[in-house]
Amino acid sequence: MILKDNLKLYLVLETHMLKKPLDVFIPEVIKHGVTAVQLRDKGLTARDQFETGQKLTELLDGTGVLFVVNDRIDLARCLGARTVHLGVKDIPLKTAKTVYPDMIYGYSCNTEEDIETAKLADYIGVGPAFMTGTKKDLRPVISPEGIARLVKLTAKPAVAIGGINAENIHTLYGAGLSGVAVSSCICAAEDPARAAAELREKAEKL
């Protein structure tokens, strides 16, 4: 697996937004360009997240799509997922890397200090690029220009996140990104396959 290639169109899954059953939604968006799926679903209990994760594991098996668990190393280990995404409020990246060195780590970056911490990560998420209602504990919006500035400080593969959609993704062109992470613009779409295809086409121009 070449990690950079798996970051092109990174879907942050929020199942409560879906207009279709998960077992219909996931194959459709994968077919039309999604390259990674992160299990977030922050409003769910750990048990419900685990059960959704089990379904995702089955649906992603053999597809080559990267399966990522947000925040929870314990959940990732129980699901057999190799990749976990951490942020400043989670288990410290240094500790996680020491205890579970076999895992692939993503790290959320909003400042230069975060970029320094992320030297131990395998890839970074940078943002938020724009205002978004998907995440409640939102860090300061840093804009596409701010994202480009932070990405230049690291050699890690990077995805931009936060309020990105088909109408504004072009503002991230030339920022040095490997891809974009999106949630509502695909999860809440009436036609998620079409939404994924449109975003993937535009993400190829990053």
Side-chain angles (χ1 to χ4, degrees):
M1 179 186 72
I2 301 174
L3 183 58
K4 183 178 179 180
D5 294 341
N6 277 102
L7 300 176
K8 184 66 68 178
L9 183 53
Y10 184 120
L11 177 65
V12 179
L13 182 66
E14 294 286 358
T15 55
H16 69 277
M17 295 182 180
L18 303 186
K19 307 291 175 59
K20 296 185 176 186
L22 188 66
D23 60 355
V24 174
F25 173 84
I26 290 295
E28 281 191 4
V29 298
I30 289 173
K31 181 180 179 181
H32 289 85
V34 164
T35 55
V37 177
Q38 182 192 110
L39 174 62
R40 185 161 70 181
D41 268 344
K42 282 201 171 187
L44 296 185
T45 65
R47 178 62 177 264
D48 287 339
Q49 285 181 319
F50 174 72
E51 291 177 353
T52 300
Q54 284 185 310
K55 294 176 185 175
L56 276 177
T57 300
E58 294 173 4
L59 292 167
L60 298 178
D61 184 41
T63 64
V65 170
L66 183 68
F67 178 34
V68 185
V69 175
N70 188 53
D71 297 348
R72 301 284 300 272
I73 301 173
D74 58 338
L75 186 59
R77 301 291 290 191
C78 288
L79 290 168
R82 289 193 59 216
T83 309
V84 66
H85 192 93
L86 300 175
V88 293
K89 295 182 180 180
D90 300 320
I91 295 294
L93 177 59
K94 184 176 181 180
T95 301
K97 192 83 172 178
T98 300
V99 178
Y100 298 114
D102 57 320
M103 300 285 283
I104 296 169
Y105 291 96
Y107 193 75
S108 295
C109 295
N110 181 258
T111 65
E112 291 185 21
E113 183 180 354
D114 295 335
I115 293 291
E116 180 67 23
T117 301
K119 285 183 177 180
L120 296 174
D122 298 285
Y123 75 91
I124 61 172
V126 190
F130 309 99
M131 283 299 298
T132 173
T134 305
K135 192 174 182 182
K136 293 181 180 179
D137 55 339
L138 194 67
R139 299 179 77 185
V141 172
I142 58 176
S143 78
E145 293 76 21
I147 286 175
R149 179 178 59 81
L150 289 181
V151 170
K152 286 180 181 178
L153 300 177
T154 178
K156 303 288 183 183
V159 293
I161 189 169
I164 298 165
N165 56 44
E167 284 68 49
N168 61 28
I169 188 176
H170 69 278
T171 63
L172 296 164
Y173 291 171
L177 296 162
S178 297
V180 290
V182 299
S183 186
S184 59
C185 61
I186 293 179
C187 290
E190 294 292 341
D191 188 346
R194 181 177 179 181
E198 184 177 10
L199 274 163
R200 177 58 186 273
E201 181 180 1
K202 294 183 176 183
E204 291 293 337
K205 301 175 184 178
L206 288 167

